Amino acid sequence: MTLYARQYPGDPDRPAIGLHCMMGSSALFGPLAEHLDGAVDLYAFDFPGHGRSPAWLPEDGVDLHTFVTRHAARMIERPVDLIGHSFGATVALRIAVGVPEAVRSLTLVEPVLFAAAPTPSREAVQERLAPFEAAGDWDGMLRRFLGDWGAPGEIPTDGPRAERLRMQMAMVLDTNAALMADRAQILREGGLESVDAPVMLISGAESPPIVHEIADALSARLPDVGRATVPGAGHMLPLTHPSQFADLTRMNLERA
């Protein structure tokens, strides 16, 4: 599968890969690149079923998380700075745990590795969508999901964009094995502890409480980690607070 990719040109000696959120695209990193002013040579790609990439066609035995992880890993020719948001941040973390020597730094905005959170919090997140899934109410599910994690507002009910959103919502549900149950074993014993690159965990002050619980769990095990909470920001802080995001990213780049 050929995926759409963008380059935000910068320092050729600092290759970086940006990994976006579910229902997002590689355009998420445009504001960041503008504020970083060439500090890194940033590449990003649209996940299957997102942005300008083709629809997701599951392959035998390969889920979306694994597919995106492998695609990103193939882009790495020398140690890189990985910058990830939400789902993309969990992919970055999976690469860092799997091949620590390939990663120069990790800047992670609200990695939604729900398996790291306490069980009641994890179950509460699943229960937010369960009634809509049981009723087959995709539009209601979208409103709930985007209200929690994205930009609440009017959801189109017909046309190509509406169909695309419903397909993406189905992909969100399909990622449960990766994010809720940690099928990739990112949290395995000794895994996070093997990441010797500097890590920056960024959260929005107004984001769902579970993201802070996840950050607590990850930071307790990562050897070299910084924490930051952006006042007034929610889950989509890379778009709503690009200056603060860039400042924190630059800080972590300098630590590497």
Side-chain angles (χ1 to χ4, degrees):
M1 181 184 294
T2 301
L3 302 182
Y4 178 81
R6 303 172 192 257
Q7 179 186 10
Y8 298 99
D11 184 349
D13 292 326
R14 289 300 297 263
I17 298 174
L19 297 157
H20 65 77
C21 59
M22 292 294 286
M23 296 193 173
S25 76
S26 56
L28 176 94
F29 297 99
L32 172 67
E34 182 178 349
H35 283 84
L36 287 179
D37 195 26
V40 293
D41 196 28
L42 178 60
Y43 291 82
F45 60 93
D46 293 345
F47 301 164
H50 292 72
R52 302 183 188 181
S53 285
W56 169 235
L57 299 175
E59 302 176 8
D60 290 342
V62 179
D63 64 2
L64 180 69
H65 200 278
T66 298
F67 181 92
V68 173
T69 300
R70 290 177 178 174
H71 187 89
R74 286 194 294 268
M75 297 170 63
I76 301 175
E77 298 178 350
R78 52 179 167 157
V80 298
D81 299 293
L82 293 180
I83 304 169
H85 174 224
S86 192
F87 179 90
T90 70
V91 171
L93 197 58
R94 182 176 179 177
I95 293 171
V97 168
V99 196
E101 63 273 17
V103 180
R104 187 168 180 172
S105 73
L106 275 175
T107 303
L108 307 177
V109 180
E110 300 195 358
V112 286
L113 187 56
F114 296 115
T119 299
S121 299
R122 186 167 66 248
E123 291 177 346
V125 168
Q126 289 180 294
E127 289 168 3
R128 296 279 291 172
L129 300 181
F132 301 100
E133 183 179 7
D137 182 2
W138 290 100
D139 294 336
M141 194 185 309
L142 276 165
R143 283 191 292 271
R144 173 61 57 83
F145 180 82
L146 293 177
D148 289 345
W149 299 102
E154 194 67 29
I155 306 298
T157 57
D158 53 37
R161 174 161 167 72
E163 185 59 30
R164 181 84 158 178
L165 285 170
R166 294 185 188 110
M167 290 176 62
Q168 290 173 346
M169 192 71 248
M171 292 168 69
V172 168
L173 297 178
D174 287 343
T175 63
N176 279 346
L179 305 182
M180 295 287 182
D182 189 27
R183 186 160 72 179
Q185 298 186 338
I186 298 170
L187 299 173
R188 63 185 179 270
E189 183 177 355
L192 294 172
E193 291 79 3
S194 71
V195 179
D196 57 3
V199 181
M200 175 67 77
L201 290 170
I202 306 172
S203 303
E206 308 302 321
S207 292
I210 194 170
V211 303
H212 305 288
E213 296 177 319
I214 294 170
D216 288 342
L218 297 178
S219 63
R221 295 180 54 189
L222 290 163
D224 185 1
V225 62
R227 295 276 300 272
T229 301
V230 179
H235 187 63
M236 295 305 296
L237 72 87
L239 293 178
T240 62
H241 294 69
S243 177
Q244 294 93 323
F245 179 32
D247 288 345
L248 292 166
T249 300
R250 188 186 298 274
M251 186 184 305
N252 200 45
L253 294 172
E254 292 173 352
R255 292 174 62 221

